[in-house]
Structure formats: C-alpha cells, structure tokens
Amino acid sequence: MAKKKQFAGKKTKLAELPLTRVLEQKAEDEAAWGELQTSGGASHRQLFLSLERAPEVRPGLLTAAYQQIIQELTVLQADLEPERASSSASAPVLLPLPHLLQTRNLKRALLQARASLQDLHRLLSD
Amino acid sequence: MSFIVAILNQKGGTGKTTTTINLSAALAFQGHRTLMVDLDPQGHTTIGIGVEPASFRESMAEVFTVPKKNLNDVVLPTYIPNLFVAPATIHLAQAAEQVYARVFREAILAQALKGVDFDFVVIDCPPSLGVLTTNSLYACDFIIIPCQISRYSLDGLADLLTTIETVKSLGLEELFQGDHFRILLTMFDKRNRVTNEYILEQLKPYQDKTFATPVMKNEALNQAQIVQKSIFDFDPKSSGAQDYYQIAAEFLEIWQKRNNLPEKRPNLQNCL
C-alpha cells in the first residue's frame, strides 16, 4: 500500500484537542460568512439560518443549538398561525454569527431562550 | 517593563536553545537590551553563547534556592553587545527538586524577573513540564513553541497547549483570540514531502498561530553551536541566518502590536 494512503484516518492528539475544534469551527464560520458576503446575501454581521440551512452552514454543537431554537420558534409559529404553518415551515431567522457566541455561555443562553419561548407560548395560549 | 518570552516545548531536540540564542542575538543586534534566562539544567544556552561554566560561580540555581540570589547578580554579559545571559548549570536540577516543597513555587521566576530591566527577556525552558517550565509559563507574556515536523511533536504540542491553558488560567476562547503563542516549525526539510503534507494539514487550524517562516534544516546552525556563536556571527549568509532574521522580524511585529506601538517592518540588516 502507498505510504500516503496509510495516513488516512490517522489522527494526532492535537486533532482531538478542544482548542483545535474551536479553531476549525472559527475557520468554517469565517468561510461561511465569506460565502454570504460574496453572494450579497447579508449586509451586516448577521447570518441567515433556517432549519434547512443550518446543517449546510456547519455541523456541530452551535448549529445543533440554533436548530433547537429555530425548532422552538417554528413550533410556536405553527401554534400561533396554523394557517401559515404548512406553507412556510421555517422562514429565515436572523441570528448572530456562531463564533460570536462563547461556548461556555451557550447552554445558559439556550435554556433562557427556551424558557422565554415557553413563557411567551403560555401567555399567548391563555 | 520587560517583554518576557518563553521558548517552550517539553519534547527534547526541537530547537529551543537554537531559537533562544538566535532570536535573542537578532533582538540585541537590533539595539534591544536582551536577557537570555537559561532555565535548562543542561546549560546549553549558556555554553552556546560562549560563556564557560568555569567562568562563573552563581547561576539560576541560586535564584531558585533559599536564601535566594537576586537575578541581577547572576546576569553575565556575552560577546554580543546588548545581549546578556542568566546562566544555568546542572545544579539547577537539584534546586528545582527543592522548590517542590515551597508555597507559590510556580511564581519564583516571575518575582525574580520583576527586578530586572531589559527590553526583552527570553527564557530557554527545559524539555519537561516540571516546576521550571511552569515558572516560565507563569512569568511570560508570550510563548514560542519550536516544533519539529513529526507525529510525536504534534502530540506533545497538544499536551503543551493544555498546560498553557491551565497555568495561564485561560479559557479556550481567550487562548486562541488573544495573542499568547506562536508555533515555530523547525528543522524543516522540503524533501520530506509526504510527512510535511500530513503534519501541515494537522496544523492547519493553527495557521494564524504559526510563524510564517519555518527554520529549514541547516548544518550551519549545528556548526554555530560548536563554535559557541550566534548564526549571524558564524555564517550570516546561511539559510539558518536568513530564517532567524525573518522570524525576529515577525516576532517584533507581534511585539509592536501587543504594545500598541506604530507598526513598522524592523530593519534587521545589521544582523546579516
């Protein structure tokens, strides 16, 4: 077997370091942001994410978190406007660029967002 | 106030001492008062700059023992104007052993360096993650990690980054967003194409944290050790001299940014 082929899948300790993953995600975010800028899709430092687009922008923890928020919003929208729910399941939602959020604050932010949505839902349902 | 740089990698033979001597020499040739702190009990920085162990009685070992010696009292001039060395001998290993029983043992060097007045302090660390290395990490403003193109070097780099994060009490975001370290690729051999490709791919996330100039494998760098001179004195036309010239320029740009100084490309022609 060619020497180079034997390297496939061989990962170093460095590749598994949390810092490496953070740096990789940062690079991916910047690439996604660059793509949006060149396509003229965004005029300020915000990124259009929808439930459909999130996985294509970047897999991983932050995207999963955004998906969760968008899902909550979509469910809420469906409850409030059942007639629109079937036609526009997930309108684009403006969200900050993922790397602007600090990972350590993410869980807390998610829990707060979820609690706020539930409160809102409850209020509107009353 | 001095800008303190630790040249650090717990792996041996990565080019820490060569980098300490030649980066410090370049800074000194540029007119910056520079102190090399030899924190490796092997004392190779001391010997490498032409200071013979028989020529001094007190060294970094005395700075780490009780009653401690003032660091200024062990500093020696070198043959290069503006370049000084706080020398080390094998006694530093014994002093480090005794340090383990002391409180605030990781802050001994930081305290000692408060009393010195140089533009730059460059610390040559031992090839371990022991108390001498944690002292350097605790004291320094910036870290240079010489790293060979090898699998084991990358694994070592991972351990080192984890240690830096812990000792400097930095979160992941702070570690990559702040300008705390640079990786320096050493002994780079263009002929090892397949290995180079693999290692550089692994280092890709750290591209912004790596010196743009690698130190190419160069026999003149080894020969300069034998004659106990900096590469700029031994063979200024060598690729080793050119590489360290570029690295010193990159380093000075980082330093200018860190200190909000006007950005200008340093003129290091007097090194060559």
Side-chain angles (χ1 to χ4, degrees):
Chain A
M1 196 191 288
K3 283 180 190 167
K4 200 175 172 182
K5 280 188 180 169
Q6 295 181 55
F7 291 178
K10 292 285 180 193
K11 293 228 166 183
T12 61
K13 222 184 211 180
L14 186 69
E16 283 150 24
L17 201 68
L19 177 63
T20 307
R21 285 196 220 120
V22 170
L23 289 170
E24 279 170 348
Q25 286 183 353
K26 185 173 170 257
E28 284 173 21
D29 290 344
E30 281 169 359
W33 173 242
E35 267 175 41
L36 277 168
Q37 276 191 317
T38 50
S39 66
S43 56
H44 47 96
R45 272 184 82 81
Q46 279 186 315
L47 181 64
F48 273 112
L49 272 181
S50 68
L51 196 55
E52 285 74 25
R53 285 224 42 203
E56 86 193 41
V57 173
R58 201 204 49 236
L61 178 66
L62 288 175
T63 303
Y66 286 129
Q67 280 186 326
Q68 188 64 46
I69 292 175
I70 292 164
Q71 261 170 351
E72 297 285 348
L73 287 171
T74 309
V75 169
L76 182 64
Q77 189 184 37
D79 284 353
L80 294 174
E81 300 177 294
E83 69 283 359
R84 281 189 60 196
S86 55
S87 59
S88 60
S90 56
V93 180
L94 276 174
L95 293 165
L97 266 177
H99 75 265
L100 298 180
L101 281 179
Q102 292 193 320
T103 311
R104 63 171 176 264
N105 293 331
L106 185 67
K107 197 172 173 185
R108 199 176 54 192
L110 260 180
L111 289 172
Q112 278 176 355
R114 191 190 177 106
S116 302
L117 283 169
Q118 282 170 343
D119 286 347
L120 182 64
H121 194 183
R122 206 177 305 116
L123 276 171
L124 292 168
S125 305
D126 287 342
Chain B
M1 211 165 72
S2 307
F3 188 71
I4 303 169
V5 187
I7 312 290
L8 176 59
N9 193 331
Q10 80 278 18
K11 191 176 179 300
T14 58
K16 288 183 288 293
T17 302
T18 304
T19 300
T20 302
I21 291 174
N22 293 313
L23 174 63
S24 302
L27 296 172
F29 280 126
Q30 179 68 9
H32 297 291
R33 266 171 58 84
T34 303
L35 171 67
M36 297 186 293
V37 175
D38 194 351
L39 222 55
D40 185 349
Q42 296 175 99
H44 288 161
T45 292
T46 307
I47 298 164
I49 202 67
V51 175
E52 294 297 343
S55 68
F56 57 90
R57 291 181 62 186
E58 286 164 334
S59 65
M60 285 307 293
E62 279 65 42
V63 175
F64 275 84
T65 45
V66 181
K68 68 177 178 189
K69 195 84 190 166
N70 189 313
L71 204 151
N72 278 312
D73 294 342
V74 306
V75 169
L76 301 169
T78 71
Y79 76 92
I80 298 174
N82 292 319
L83 183 60
F84 301 81
V85 65
T89 64
I90 198 68
H91 300 305
L92 181 57
Q94 293 156 343
E97 288 289 322
Q98 290 160 12
V99 157
Y100 277 102
R102 284 165 60 183
V103 288
F104 302 121
R105 55 184 171 269
E106 62 286 327
I108 297 168
L109 183 63
Q111 283 296 328
L113 285 172
K114 277 184 183 165
V116 301
D117 182 24
F118 291 90
D119 298 328
F120 294 102
V121 174
V122 183
I123 309 168
D124 185 17
C125 296
S128 71
L129 286 176
V131 72
L132 293 172
T133 299
T134 47
N135 261 272
S136 311
L137 274 177
Y138 198 81
C140 74
D141 301 304
F142 192 74
I143 301 154
I144 295 177
I145 309 169
C147 187
Q148 272 177 287
I149 297 284
S150 81
R151 159 76 199 254
Y152 298 147
S153 288
L154 292 193
D155 286 345
L157 182 59
D159 293 334
L160 183 53
L161 290 173
T162 308
T163 307
I164 293 170
E165 198 187 327
T166 310
V167 176
K168 301 297 271 182
S169 302
L170 296 169
L172 281 180
E173 288 83 4
E174 292 163 298
L175 188 56
F176 82 81
Q177 279 170 358
D179 213 356
H180 298 288
F181 71 94
R182 284 288 184 286
I183 297 162
L184 173 63
L185 297 175
T186 56
M187 296 169 232
F188 194 90
D189 191 338
K190 276 183 185 164
R191 292 169 300 178
N192 303 337
R193 199 176 49 81
V194 176
T195 310
N196 292 346
E197 228 171 71
Y198 174 80
I199 300 290
L200 292 178
E201 181 60 32
Q202 297 287 313
L203 281 171
K204 208 172 170 186
Y206 293 87
Q207 208 171 344
D208 292 346
K209 299 288 182 193
T210 305
F211 278 102
T213 311
V215 182
M216 308 301 278
K217 202 174 172 116
N218 179 224
E219 193 49 25
L221 287 169
N222 288 333
Q223 293 165 349
Q225 291 173 6
I226 299 169
V227 298
Q228 298 171 280
K229 284 183 174 174
S230 85
I231 190 67
F232 307 109
D233 296 298
F234 176 68
D235 187 354
K237 301 285 178 214
S238 64
S239 76
Q242 304 290 332
D243 291 343
Y244 275 107
Y245 161 90
Q246 292 296 339
I247 289 156
E250 279 188 57
F251 170 78
L252 284 169
E253 281 178 8
I254 295 166
W255 169 70
Q256 285 162 354
K257 271 188 195 161
R258 280 278 298 261
N259 290 283
N260 297 319
L261 297 170
E263 280 183 44
K264 58 171 184 180
R265 185 80 179 171
N267 177 11
L268 291 167
Q269 282 305 325
N270 47 354
C271 293
L272 302 176

